[in-house]
Amino acid sequence: MQTAETDRSLVISPFLETEQVDNQAATIYLRSSGSRIRIPKALYDVLRRFSSSRTLPDALGTTSPPASLLAALEKLQGKGFLIFEDELESVMLDRLVTAPPIPIFDAPMQKPDDPPSDVVIIGFPYDHGCFHAAGARAGTLALREASLHLLYRVSSETGRPLGWYDADRREPMLKGTSIADCGDLVVDHGESRSQMNRRFDRLLGKVIHENTLPVLIGGDATGSYSLIRHIQKTRHVAVVRIGGPAGDGGAPGNDAVSAESLGGSLLQLEATEGFWSIAASSVCAKGPGRTHSRFHTIPPADANPGLLANIRSRVPEGTGIYLGIDIGVLDRGLTNDASRDCEALRFEELKALIVALGENFQIHGLDLVGMNPSRPYWSVMSVYALHILVTAIGAAKDSAGSQG
Amino acid sequence: MQSLFNWPQSPGEVEPGALVEVLGVPGDAGNSASSGSRYGPDAIRRASGNVARPLLSGFDHGDIAEVCGFDWMDVLNRTCKSVEAIARKGSTSILLGGDHSISWAGVKGVECLGPVTLIWIDAHTDFCAWQETEWHNHKQVLRRIAALDHVQEILHIGHRGVTYADESAYTEKMRLFSPHDIQKSGAKPVLEAINHDSAIYISLDIDGVDPRWAPGTGHPVPGGLQPDGLAEVLRALGNTQRVAALDVMEVNPMLDPENRTSDVAASLIADFLHGVAEA
């Protein structure tokens, strides 16, 4: 440790955990990287002095500690167990994801720097962006557990993914398309939105490559803004949202984006060719005469083929779309809850609309949000969600629009 | 225990010429995905109290004894013997499950009647690989049944959704009818496909019905049969007077907080029996 650094405060990493301690030694590990070491008890006792941030002289009680102790502390710092206090925020962003107990479809996990797959599933377990979404933060893990009904399998001969089969349309789906799960974004509930968004932006930069289809599962639609902005680094998109709340008011920047303000916030970006909302659960338009000119609401009855014609007439040819789906759009049909003041689509209508979108436009990104295991009939809704997810990924990767 | 349609339960109460005999199998050991269908027989019986009693005399044997805690194949073998005994008397069995692996016992039990046409109503083909072991689970049951010599043909109604592969040609014995086929054409294509020389066994996995009406089941699949369309098929099959047995499986009350699924199951059984009575 450089002498000049003795004025900087050090603190033990927030990811440090103690596995075992005895009179001789202690085993410690970092949750962020999995690094695990065994150190002498005496060194462990010194390390614990940095539970709160302190300078070296303050913690060690001397400005001339033994060289061996300094070397040992430097080693711990090199491995990330001990960090400078002013680097704490950066370290907090180092841990990007949590690995789920079960990857979706039991597909491979993709670590941030792994080779890309054709489709990457990214969990966004956050539900504080929409008042009505309480419980949806558990949706990412619950959907993965339900997905064991549809396992991802690879041919033992070719090593290529086998895909699935749509018994309704009598067509194979996603044959040869690799899918990976990169886990759930780390969300420290209570942290600032800006910190969470910075972490998410960093994760997107690591897992999305040129031809990767990113698929966000939620939670609520909060993460969609960051994902769409990431996609818009290389292309313009028309944004289509099926279900969920919609509104055309919003502030620029993603730190204040909610599910309701998503449309308005996106429309402030030059690369958003328009925002189409179908079967919204509620619409917060600025009002007659003030509604944004590129914000369009489509009633469910006109969705197919009206939506397609509407988009084609308003965006430059060759523009692709970003498709967001709030699974709650199917909720009313399942729960027969007449008190829910929302337009709804039936499963068959939603599936047909997704397929039609895929056939007519290239889909550059997807989200499926609103999965909420605490709502009634989650055992049914989870299956609906899985079928819609696979259909949407198939629409993006298999359909005529994907060749464009 | 409440009986199905409040039919008699004691031998002394059986009306002469009872045509229908009910047996419950309250077990779900054969379902790898979820448990809870063991409560199905009770739930269906309770729901039947709200349905108009069919104009047929029936008898409810109650549930097979010694289920939970016992070897599953032992339970199925005892069920098979009970169904066989009912078939030999010339009565129609109504088997209440329980998970769908139980249906093997019912189909095997009517072997004494000769060739059988199996009507399999299900969202899934239940044709997962089975290595000819002495046991099977709910995903393998139809593959095991298809290997029975007396099963001449299988008319599968309700297969749909995202699956692993094209399951339409798993066996030469099987022909698939989608929910769309039934919605469009009713019972006609099914009736026309039946071999007119054989007895009929109907197996109803309640997940064949769309989850909007039957959410309380372990593995629902969207896009299913509508209850009124399925009722038409069951009534028409009852009309043929050739149905040896009907089983109703995979009703899971733990996933059915409003009892919608058991209500639908009870109604469909009643529709079938109305068809028998009308003929």
Side-chain angles (χ1 to χ4, degrees):
Chain A
M1 211 161 274
Q2 297 298 323
T3 310
E5 311 262 63
T6 57
D7 293 336
R8 289 172 77 186
S9 290
L10 291 156
V11 67
I12 60 175
S13 167
F15 299 121
L16 186 148
E17 297 285 345
T18 302
E19 186 177 296
Q20 185 259 346
V21 181
D22 58 40
N23 291 336
Q24 308 297 323
T27 304
I28 56 176
Y29 69 93
L30 283 178
R31 279 186 292 118
S32 51
S33 64
S35 295
R36 189 167 165 272
I37 57 174
R38 192 161 168 80
I39 58 177
K41 176 68 164 48
L43 180 58
Y44 176 70
D45 289 339
V46 171
L47 184 63
R48 286 182 60 221
R49 293 180 198 171
F50 294 95
S51 298
S52 54
S53 62
R54 300 169 84 172
T55 61
L56 265 176
D58 183 36
L60 301 181
T62 173
T63 53
S64 303
S68 59
L69 176 58
L70 272 181
L73 289 173
E74 193 166 329
K75 239 185 188 174
L76 288 174
Q77 190 205 1
K79 288 181 184 297
F81 290 94
L82 193 59
I83 58 176
F84 287 115
E85 186 191 16
D86 51 26
E87 292 175 353
L88 182 59
E89 190 179 322
S90 172
V91 166
M92 290 294 287
L93 292 177
D94 274 351
R95 189 171 185 222
L96 298 175
V97 291
T98 56
I102 303 163
I104 197 153
F105 310 122
D106 206 18
M109 289 298 298
Q110 177 172 323
K111 293 201 187 110
D113 295 310
D114 278 350
S117 55
D118 298 322
V119 178
V120 68
I121 310 289
I122 309 159
F124 198 90
Y126 184 79
D127 58 15
H128 212 253
C130 175
F131 183 75
H132 299 287
R137 69 178 69 173
T140 58
L141 292 183
L143 184 73
R144 289 183 174 101
E145 186 176 330
S147 76
L148 295 182
H149 287 303
L150 282 178
L151 295 174
Y152 173 87
R153 300 171 311 162
V154 165
S155 164
S156 54
E157 286 177 24
T158 64
R160 294 299 297 158
L162 289 169
W164 292 280
Y165 184 79
D166 188 331
D168 300 326
R169 291 186 298 140
R170 310 235 162 133
E171 288 177 10
M173 307 167 79
L174 296 168
K175 191 173 178 181
T177 299
S178 59
I179 298 176
D181 188 338
C182 80
D184 276 355
L185 178 75
V186 166
V187 173
D188 286 323
H189 294 282
E191 68 178 332
S192 69
R193 290 283 297 263
S194 63
Q195 180 160 291
M196 180 181 75
N197 290 329
R198 280 204 301 284
R199 186 183 304 116
F200 192 41
D201 287 337
R202 188 187 284 202
L203 174 63
L204 294 177
K206 285 179 176 287
V207 301
I208 300 175
H209 303 270
E210 189 184 335
N211 294 317
T212 305
L213 175 74
V215 179
L216 184 148
I217 56 172
D220 65 33
T222 301
S224 307
Y225 182 88
S226 296
L227 179 54
I228 293 169
R229 260 205 338 186
H230 184 89
I231 293 168
Q232 287 178 339
K233 286 180 183 173
T234 53
R235 49 175 56 95
H236 287 216
V237 286
V239 178
V240 177
R241 284 217 75 80
I242 304 175
D248 65 345
N254 62 345
D255 290 347
V257 173
S258 67
E260 284 90 354
S261 67
L262 178 63
S265 298
L266 287 168
L267 287 169
Q268 308 216 17
L269 303 174
E270 189 206 330
T272 304
E273 293 290 348
F275 185 94
W276 284 262
S277 170
I278 301 101
S281 56
S282 62
V283 179
C284 307
K286 284 186 280 199
R290 295 179 60 213
T291 303
H292 198 293
S293 62
R294 288 183 292 138
F295 178 87
H296 314 284
T297 53
I298 309 283
D302 295 341
N304 192 7
L307 169 67
L308 281 64
N310 197 302
I311 296 174
R312 258 194 240 102
S313 68
R314 292 173 193 277
V315 304
E317 190 175 338
T319 302
I321 67 170
Y322 175 94
L323 176 59
I325 305 163
D326 188 315
I327 202 65
V329 75
L330 298 176
D331 196 39
R332 184 173 178 185
L334 269 177
T335 61
N336 291 327
D337 185 354
S339 68
R340 289 208 56 192
D341 181 23
C342 61
E343 297 177 303
L345 286 172
R346 289 185 295 113
F347 172 80
E348 297 80 6
E349 293 167 333
L350 176 58
K351 183 174 177 178
L353 178 59
I354 293 168
V355 169
L357 284 167
E359 284 171 350
N360 287 272
F361 302 98
Q362 190 163 4
I363 300 174
H364 294 297
L366 287 171
D367 69 60
L368 180 63
V369 300
M371 270 95 55
N372 193 335
S374 58
R375 293 234 354 125
Y377 297 110
W378 166 247
S379 61
V380 176
M381 186 60 90
S382 60
V383 178
Y384 274 54
L386 285 169
H387 279 69
I388 290 298
L389 180 64
V390 174
T391 299
I393 297 173
K397 283 297 192 182
D398 291 337
S399 300
S402 69
Q403 315 304 323
Chain B
M1 182 201 78
Q2 181 178 336
S3 64
L4 194 69
F5 304 119
N6 291 315
W7 277 331
Q9 299 177 63
S10 304
E13 294 174 5
V14 180
E15 293 173 24
L19 292 176
V20 183
E21 299 189 31
V22 183
L23 183 65
V25 186
D28 49 34
N31 188 316
S32 53
S34 59
S35 54
S37 61
R38 69 185 70 171
Y39 306 127
D42 265 353
I44 297 172
R45 288 182 172 110
R46 277 196 305 274
S48 74
N50 301 323
V51 178
R53 198 194 215 191
L55 297 174
L56 287 171
S57 56
F59 176 76
D60 194 334
H61 290 273
D63 292 341
I64 285 273
E66 297 180 343
V67 175
C68 281
F70 292 82
D71 270 349
W72 191 233
M73 273 317 296
D74 174 55
V75 174
L76 297 192
N77 285 328
R78 286 189 274 116
T79 302
C80 173
K81 286 190 167 50
S82 296
V83 172
E84 182 182 353
I86 295 169
R88 287 193 185 279
K89 280 194 275 178
S91 298
T92 299
S93 296
I94 304 260
L95 203 55
L96 304 178
D99 76 67
H100 212 177
S101 70
I102 295 166
S103 298
W104 171 87
V107 176
K108 182 97 172 101
V110 300
E111 191 174 17
C112 57
L113 300 178
V116 160
T117 291
L118 175 58
I119 312 289
W120 192 264
I121 304 164
D122 198 327
H124 317 91
T125 56
D126 294 350
F127 231 84
C128 285
W130 171 64
Q131 278 76 36
E132 300 194 10
T133 51
E134 285 183 10
W135 61 276
H136 61 276
N137 64 31
H138 69 137
K139 292 186 191 174
Q140 302 163 315
V141 61
L142 190 55
R143 189 183 282 262
R144 189 173 187 188
I145 287 173
L148 295 171
D149 290 333
H150 70 289
V151 175
Q152 279 199 327
E153 60 186 350
I154 302 169
L155 305 180
H156 189 301
I157 304 173
H159 178 53
R160 62 192 186 266
V162 178
T163 63
Y164 289 112
D166 182 358
E167 300 178 12
S168 61
Y170 273 158
T171 170
E172 285 179 0
K173 287 186 182 180
M174 186 163 73
R175 193 176 148 182
L176 295 181
F177 297 88
S178 70
H180 177 70
D181 293 332
I182 302 302
Q183 197 172 330
K184 188 174 153 203
S185 310
K188 190 161 176 266
V190 177
L191 291 174
E192 285 173 353
I194 295 175
N195 179 327
H196 289 281
D197 293 334
S198 55
I200 297 171
Y201 186 107
I202 306 172
S203 181
L204 169 58
D205 183 327
I206 204 66
D207 68 24
V209 178
D210 191 281
R212 277 171 290 187
W213 289 276
T217 188
H219 195 168
V221 181
L225 296 156
Q226 298 190 22
D228 52 359
L230 181 53
E232 181 192 326
V233 172
L234 290 171
R235 201 183 273 257
L237 289 168
N239 244 233
T240 65
Q241 296 286 301
R242 288 162 46 203
V243 177
L246 163 71
D247 71 43
V248 182
M249 300 289 158
E250 298 288 2
V251 171
N252 189 333
M254 290 175 66
L255 303 172
D256 194 25
E258 295 168 313
N259 299 321
R260 275 197 253 165
T261 311
S262 43
D263 287 345
V264 163
S267 293
L268 289 171
I269 296 171
D271 287 315
F272 162 71
L273 292 172
H274 288 317
V276 175
E278 280 167 2

